[in-house]
Amino acid sequence: RKDLPTFKLEDVQKHNTLEKGIWVTYGIGVYDITDFIPKHPGSDKIMLGAGSAIDPFWAIYQQHNNKEILSLLETYRIGNISPEDEVSTDDMGSPWAMEPKRHPLLKPASERPFNAEPPLTILAENFYTPNEFFYVRNHLPVPVIDVKTYELEVEIETDKAGAKSTQKALSFEDIKALPKHSVTAAIMCGGNRRSEMTEVKSVKGLSWGAGAVGNAKWSGARLRDVLLAMGVQPNENLHVILEGADLDPTSNPYGASIPLSKALDERGDVILAYEMNDKPLNRDHGFPIRVIVPGTVGARNVKWLTRIVVADHESNSHWQQNDYKGFSPSTDWDTVDFTKSPAIQAMPVTSAICTPLPGEKVKVSADGFVEVRGYAWSGGGRRIVRVDLTADKGKSWHVATLEQENEPDGRHYGWSLWTARIPVDTKLKGEEVEIWSKAVDSAYNVQPETFANIWNLRGVLSNAYHRVKILLN
Ligand code: MTE
Ligand code: MO
């Protein structure tokens, strides 16, 4: 294969339509699959990989991963991807020089820092979000960490914790030597679905769609085990401050905090994670260690964790004190007082329709139904008990079928995927119909109907009914 030409990633990326030809990479190979598409049954899925790597798709659609398909693919090989493509040289020396490569399917809401979400159709296809497609929310450049010299400092700053030892440094190997615990947990950004709230009135923040969420199996050591070994006693007034290795321009790290009671709770499942879906954490998601705080807003799930402090106060970081808080719709930037609202911890119940997409032409089945699919989730370990759909603005509601883990309520941290078949009036063929979803959690909390009355200046907690207009076909 050495005889074949070498292509740059940008050459591959240019070939992403049937007109220009469809190129993809798999491993180090570059393939022109333009002629393969019409012969291939799942070619709509392959089109999502057009101009990029298909490896992650093949990891999902396991049926492709057989010898016949691989040797068939080899017949379309036109070259190899250039090895020096790994680092882009224009950034050398800047704090952004060492950013990891991302899958081109992640649509950036901002490049620096990198913030991106996957297409919703992909999101709802997998109960466990593939790591490559898991949304990324970075506030700062991704730090470069050598796992051999990595250390996690644990400090007990207050004597109210009653600890026997007040200082500890854990190496990566120390953490891996602790009992391993796994938890399925969705992580959702506090600003997920912000773009819908913006339609009411503009807000400050990245314009996230409904894809700033992902669901994964996380594995690592329990934070509880580390703190209990140091003799920390339960105390409702204490906090655990979590700091990352990513530094802002004034050399302050990204930081957040959670109540000590959540960290010590056996059912809280807070872990120092080193694996995501059974693979080592990648750099964007916090390599080598991130804290997973199940049921809690994304912002507290600190990545590149380097320091833990048990203290009698919350984190002083900007993100704990002056961000990720909710306010009344009448509070504006002139009147806001961030000390008056608590920091978001558990998230409210939400759901989103992932397919069909807005504006999509949707085939009505012969017996008069359209199929709709999406996700639902609630914070605090509350299980989703129902998702209701309507295609007639609430005159009739249809209950979706849920796909979820069988974890007990209060400890149900994973999301639920759902599918519903909604009857539609066949007379409406060719017309626009709006579909709404609303989820109900185990406390019978329901999503609010509209954004108008939950609007807030930062555009967080944006969980009103999800509404998608489609064309019946
Ligand atoms: N941790 C560090 N160290 N730095 C960050 O910028 N962003 C937080 C959180 N942890 C952040 C962080 C926010 S706001 C979210 S929503 C999640 O990480 C996103 O996690 P993900 O990028 O793995 O999806
Ligand atoms: Mo976030």
Side-chain angles (χ1 to χ4, degrees), residues 137 139 189-191 298-299 324:
R137 204 293 178 238
H139 291 80
C189 184
Y324 296 109

Side-chain angles (χ1 to χ4, degrees), residues 115 135 137-139 187-192 194 208 212 254 297-300 324:
N115 292 287
Y135 84 100
R137 204 293 178 238
N138 295 339
H139 291 80
I187 296 190
M188 183 181 284
C189 184
N192 188 41
R194 177 180 284 134
W208 291 113
Y254 180 87
V297 65
R300 316 297 170 221
Y324 296 109

Side-chain angles (χ1 to χ4, degrees), residues 171-457:
S171 69
F172 185 66
E173 290 309 316
D174 293 337
I175 296 170
K176 287 195 83 168
L178 291 164
K180 186 174 176 180
H181 182 70
S182 296
V183 60
T184 297
I187 296 190
M188 183 181 284
C189 184
N192 188 41
R193 302 185 57 205
R194 177 180 284 134
S195 56
E196 296 164 68
M197 188 175 275
T198 308
E199 288 165 21
V200 174
K201 197 164 82 175
S202 74
V203 301
K204 224 172 172 168
L206 292 166
S207 192
W208 291 113
V213 57
N215 190 58
K217 175 188 168 192
W218 308 93
S219 307
R222 289 177 192 263
L223 175 56
R224 178 174 189 272
D225 291 346
V226 172
L227 298 179
L228 290 181
M230 294 174 79
V232 173
Q233 302 294 316
N235 184 322
E236 297 289 343
N237 301 314
L238 301 186
H239 305 269
V240 180
I241 296 169
L242 307 155
E243 288 179 5
D246 46 339
L247 302 177
D248 72 12
T250 64
S251 291
N252 281 314
Y254 180 87
S257 60
I258 58 170
L260 175 65
S261 54
K262 171 72 177 170
L264 289 182
D265 184 358
E266 196 171 2
R267 305 183 82 230
D269 292 314
V270 177
I271 59 173
L272 309 176
Y274 43 79
E275 280 173 16
M276 176 176 186
N277 293 325
D278 298 317
K279 283 176 225 140
L281 265 188
N282 69 25
R283 290 187 57 220
D284 261 331
H285 297 297
F287 174 85
I289 299 282
R290 94 177 289 174
V291 62
I292 294 295
V293 190
T296 295
V297 65
R300 316 297 170 221
N301 292 252
V302 175
K303 305 191 274 191
W304 316 294
L305 187 72
T306 49
R307 191 159 173 257
I308 295 174
V309 184
V310 176
D312 59 5
H313 59 88
E314 286 186 69
S315 163
N316 290 322
S317 85
H318 166 81
W319 298 280
Q320 188 79 14
Q321 298 298 331
N322 296 319
D323 202 352
Y324 296 109
K325 293 184 173 188
F327 293 95
S328 147
S330 299
T331 301
D332 61 26
W333 289 101
D334 295 325
T335 57
V336 67
D337 178 353
F338 273 91
T339 64
K340 291 290 193 305
S341 282
I344 302 168
Q345 296 285 348
M347 286 283 277
V349 62
T350 194
S351 68
I353 297 163
C354 295
T355 53
L357 292 169
E360 203 173 313
K361 281 199 187 128
V362 179
K363 188 122 202 74
V364 180
S365 70
D367 53 347
F369 288 84
V370 292
E371 196 168 296
V372 185
R373 188 169 165 80
Y375 69 77
W377 184 67
S378 187
R382 285 183 292 277
R383 183 175 183 149
I384 294 297
V385 297
R386 210 179 69 233
V387 177
D388 297 330
L389 282 299
T390 180
D392 55 15
K393 309 211 159 159
K395 284 198 218 66
S396 61
W397 290 95
H398 308 278
V399 177
T401 305
L402 302 181
E403 178 194 346
Q404 61 182 199
E405 279 196 336
N406 192 25
E407 294 297 330
D409 184 40
R411 203 178 185 174
H412 194 108
Y413 296 119
W415 70 5
S416 301
L417 293 180
W418 52 262
T419 310
R421 290 185 82 230
I422 314 176
V424 290
D425 190 342
T426 40
K427 288 199 291 293
L428 293 176
K429 268 198 187 177
E431 307 221 354
E432 190 179 76
V433 161
E434 193 171 74
I435 300 182
W436 300 352
S437 75
K438 72 170 157 93
V440 182
D441 75 12
S442 60
Y444 284 101
N445 291 308
V446 184
Q447 293 176 249
E449 191 172 334
T450 65
F451 288 97
N453 301 315
I454 59 164
W455 184 94
N456 61 83
L457 74 181

